[in-house]
């Protein structure tokens, strides 16, 4: 951004609410209409008006309640001269500003606060593919009094965004991915939080379950939210801990949870793991700066959560799960954590495919109602069926069972493992893959990475559900060799569930129940992100 030039200093023009803005209808760009701001609303109540140098041009600048607008100051138009076109107006919406600083120049011999150059605004820009970007806008004016008035007004406006966090508890898993989470946080996340004036308290986890033990009992009253820096396992553990904490505070028994209460604090997810399915599904992209800016801007998304329980005992809260191939592949990966993340994943998938065998299951589920009734039962806290609570059952040999309350976007499935599911549409996707040949199953897996329909196979069935019960059937009566194999497998804990990338050993029957909007995550809605437009060419 330009600095003040000796020969081109801009004189200060003190502004205030009593001054009139230029006629709104005369010079409002089409971008204002595209963003949803009407001309009179964009002008709104004028708070300040003054002259600043922006991008090497002296500009008339107007700050209203909703937007900061400016246009170059042009010489007076000669009568009958048509070469002077209407000045191009630019603007940024006030809600996109997240910090303001006085811009100063310092020299080695200079004492005190340095030479004032003007004001710097820190802005959150919406780019393509759901990406957010931090940018700055310099308002150059050398008058201390003038800049002080504007600086205080910007600070007052920013203080009015009550949804933006001022203090955060940060949980950092230093072992995530290639042990890069610490570097990611201190190089990309912490500088932005510091610019935004957000206080942080960082805990670096030292062992598996550390975040759970910490968050269940620690004091969080001074914080506006919790941030997890890590992969899916870390994110799931922190979400589980926040929900357990909420139940404890509400005096609910976690072993008999029918209607759990919502988590009290929102959770921010910084993608820094080998898999970042939850953050990818939340933001539409596993991008660290985007995730950080959503937290800074206080963008909140309510998200559906599942409870996983067995024999009346809560196993955990989670967002998605796989049983069968997905669970066994994760179990193999966990046994080989000495490998790099990509090697471990590829090895586990190949070995699970080599030993591909179905499980004999009975799967009962409660179908969800149509979307026109969703708002009614969301308020009640639990889904209803479309047939008077009539459970439906499928049974047989299944290679994989997926139950997902979120789309589960990831690098190997850019459209999602459950592409028709949303973060808070009040339903889960149940995807069952019946027994088939290994080549056909591989063909099904490869479809996730392509534009073809991964469910368009005769052995794949999909359902939209509110509750699911998965029960391994008793194989009494089968041939002795198969019975011995199953008993040996059971003794080796062969019924692993992959819940949000965490390996969970479960008994032969697991109940999965959806709870609408049980937790709030820092993130913007995909529809909102896709509709937004960049309206300032100078940033």
């Amino acid at each position: 951004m330009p600095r003040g030039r000796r020969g081109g200093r801009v004189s200060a023009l003190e502004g205030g609410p009593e001054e009139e803005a230029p006629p709104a209808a005369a010079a409002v760009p089409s971008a204002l209409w595209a963003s949803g701001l009407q001309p009179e609303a964009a002008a709104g109540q004028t708070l300040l008006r003054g002259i600043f140098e922006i991008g090497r041009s002296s500009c008339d600048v107007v700050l209203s309640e909703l937007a900061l607008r400016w246009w170059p100051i042009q010489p007076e138009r000669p009568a009958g001269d048509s070469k002077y076109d209407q000045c191009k107006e630019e603007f940024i919406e006030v809600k996109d500003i997240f910090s303001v600083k006085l811009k100063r120049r310092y020299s080695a011999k200079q004492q005190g606060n340095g030479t004032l150059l003007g004001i710097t605004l820190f802005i959150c820009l919406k780019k393509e593919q759901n990406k957010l970007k931090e940018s700055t806008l310099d308002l150059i004016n050398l008058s201390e009094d003038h800049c002080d008035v504007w600086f205080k007004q910007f600070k007052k406006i920013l203080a009015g965004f009550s949804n933006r966090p001022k203090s955060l508890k940060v949980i950092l898993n230093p072992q995530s991915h290639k042990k890069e989470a610490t570097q990611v946080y201190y190089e990309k996340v912490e500088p932005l939080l510091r610019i935004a004036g957000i206080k942080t308290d960082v805990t670096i986890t030292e062992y598996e379950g550390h975040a759970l033990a910490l968050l269940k009992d620690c004091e969080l009253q001074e914080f506006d939210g919790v941030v997890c820096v890590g992969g899916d396992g870390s994110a799931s553990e922190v979400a589980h801990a926040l929900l357990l904490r909420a139940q404890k505070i509400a005096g609910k028994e976690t072993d008999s949870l029918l209607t759990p209460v919502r988590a009290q604090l929102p959770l921010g997810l910084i993608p820094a793991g080998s898999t970042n399915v939850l953050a990818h599904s939340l933001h539409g992209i596993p991008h660290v700066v985007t995730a950080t800016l959503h937290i800074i801007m206080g963008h909140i998304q309510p998200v559906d959560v599942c409870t996983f329980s067995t024999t009346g005992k809560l196993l955990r809260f989670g967002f998605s799960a796989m049983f069968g191939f997905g669970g066994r592949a994760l179990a193999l990966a966990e046994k080989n954590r000495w490998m790099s993340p990509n090697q471990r994943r590829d090895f586990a998938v190949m070995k699970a495919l080599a030993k591909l065998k179905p499980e004999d299951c009975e799967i009962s589920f409660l179908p969800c109602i149509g979307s026109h009734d969703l708002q009614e039962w969301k308020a009640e806290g639990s889904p209803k069926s479309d047939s008077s609570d009539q459970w439906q059952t499928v049974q047989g040999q299944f290679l994989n069972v997926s139950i997902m309350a979120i789309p589960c976007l990831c690098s190997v499935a850019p459209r999602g493992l459950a592409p028709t599911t949303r973060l808070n549409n009040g339903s889960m996707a149940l995807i069952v893959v019946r027994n088939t040949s290994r080549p056909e199953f591989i063909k099904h897996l490869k479809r996730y990475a392509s534009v073809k329909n991964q469910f368009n196979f005769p052995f794949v069935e999909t359902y939209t559900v509110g509750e699911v019960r998965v029960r391994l059937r008793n194989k009494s009566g089968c041939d002795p060799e198969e019975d011995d194999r199953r008993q040996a497998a059971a003794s080796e804990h062969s019924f692993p569930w992959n819940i949000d990338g965490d390996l969970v050993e479960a008994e032969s029957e697991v109940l999965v129940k959806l709870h609408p909007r049980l937790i709030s995550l820092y993130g913007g809605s995909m529809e909102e992100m896709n509709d937004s437009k960049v309206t300032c060419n100078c940033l």
Side-chain angles (χ1 to χ4, degrees), residues 39-304:
E40 61 274 14
Q45 179 184 354
T46 301
L47 302 175
L48 290 174
R49 183 178 180 182
I51 294 176
F52 289 93
E53 183 180 334
I54 300 177
R56 298 186 180 275
S57 297
S58 294
C59 295
D60 194 357
V61 183
V62 174
L63 174 63
S64 71
E65 295 169 321
L66 297 179
L68 178 74
R69 300 178 296 136
W70 66 93
W71 50 93
I73 298 174
Q74 298 282 6
E76 192 172 322
R77 179 174 176 174
D81 193 341
S82 60
K83 72 176 182 178
Y84 291 96
D85 295 327
Q86 186 177 354
C87 299
K88 182 180 179 182
E89 179 180 318
E90 295 188 80
F91 83 100
I92 56 173
E93 294 183 56
V94 168
K95 66 181 179 64
D96 292 331
I97 302 171
F98 66 87
S99 187
V100 58
K101 308 285 184 185
L102 289 173
K103 183 179 179 68
R104 297 183 182 274
R105 179 173 55 209
Y106 297 89
S107 63
K109 298 180 180 180
Q110 194 171 13
Q111 299 292 325
N113 294 326
T115 302
L116 178 71
L117 298 176
I119 295 172
T120 298
L121 301 179
F122 294 85
I123 301 157
C124 175
L125 292 182
K126 303 173 182 68
K127 309 299 281 187
E128 295 179 353
Q129 298 178 334
N130 301 316
K131 190 176 290 188
L132 298 182
K133 175 187 175 184
E134 172 253 342
S135 188
T136 57
L137 177 68
D138 286 340
L139 307 178
I140 303 300
N141 189 305
L142 306 185
S143 167
E144 291 271 2
D145 292 339
H146 186 59
C147 289
D148 184 62
V149 171
W150 282 73
F151 178 76
K152 288 179 178 177
Q153 186 63 59
F154 279 119
K155 295 290 282 186
K156 182 179 178 181
I157 290 172
L158 292 177
F161 294 110
S162 58
N163 59 315
R164 296 184 181 179
K166 298 175 179 60
S167 180
L168 294 169
K169 178 65 183 177
V170 179
I171 306 296
L172 192 157
N173 180 3
Q175 301 300 318
S176 288
H177 195 35
K178 300 173 183 177
K179 300 185 178 181
E180 295 174 349
T182 304
Q183 181 181 356
V184 165
Y185 176 74
Y186 284 107
E187 290 186 4
K188 295 184 178 181
V189 180
E190 194 270 343
L192 283 174
L193 297 179
R194 188 173 64 251
I195 288 172
I198 298 174
K199 297 178 182 178
T200 57
D201 181 72
V202 181
T203 295
I204 298 177
T205 58
E206 299 174 358
Y207 53 88
E208 186 177 349
H210 187 179
L212 177 61
L214 174 75
L215 291 173
K216 278 175 64 178
D217 299 310
C218 75
E219 295 293 330
L220 295 177
Q221 286 86 348
E222 62 183 289
F223 301 110
D224 301 312
V226 176
V227 173
C228 173
V229 186
D232 285 325
S234 302
S236 179
E237 181 182 338
V238 173
H240 177 60
L242 288 175
L243 285 163
L244 280 182
R245 177 189 180 89
Q247 312 319 306
K248 180 179 178 181
I249 292 173
K252 287 183 172 278
E253 288 288 337
T254 55
D255 285 347
S256 57
L257 275 179
L258 297 177
T259 54
V261 298
R262 298 184 78 252
Q264 296 173 315
L265 292 177
L267 171 62
L269 304 175
I270 303 298
S274 51
T275 60
N276 301 289
V277 170
L278 187 51
H280 198 155
S281 299
L282 178 63
H283 307 304
I285 184 172
H287 187 245
V288 171
V289 172
T290 295
T292 306
L293 287 172
H294 276 305
I295 295 169
I296 290 171
M297 302 303 288
H299 298 158
I300 297 288
Q301 276 289 297
V303 178
D304 299 342

Side-chain angles (χ1 to χ4, degrees), residues 386-405:
D386 57 2
S387 52
S388 302
D389 291 349
Q390 292 298 312
W391 286 76
Q392 298 181 21
T393 301
V394 293
Q395 54 188 11
Q397 302 276 322
F398 298 99
L399 291 175
N400 192 67
V401 178
S402 299
I403 305 165
M404 298 174 175

Side-chain angles (χ1 to χ4, degrees), residues 490-512:
S491 65
E492 296 175 359
H493 307 287
S494 70
F495 303 125
W497 281 72
N498 178 343
I499 302 180
D500 297 331
D502 258 359
L503 185 63
V504 177
E505 298 288 347
E507 297 181 17
S508 59
E509 180 172 312
V510 173
L511 175 66
V512 186

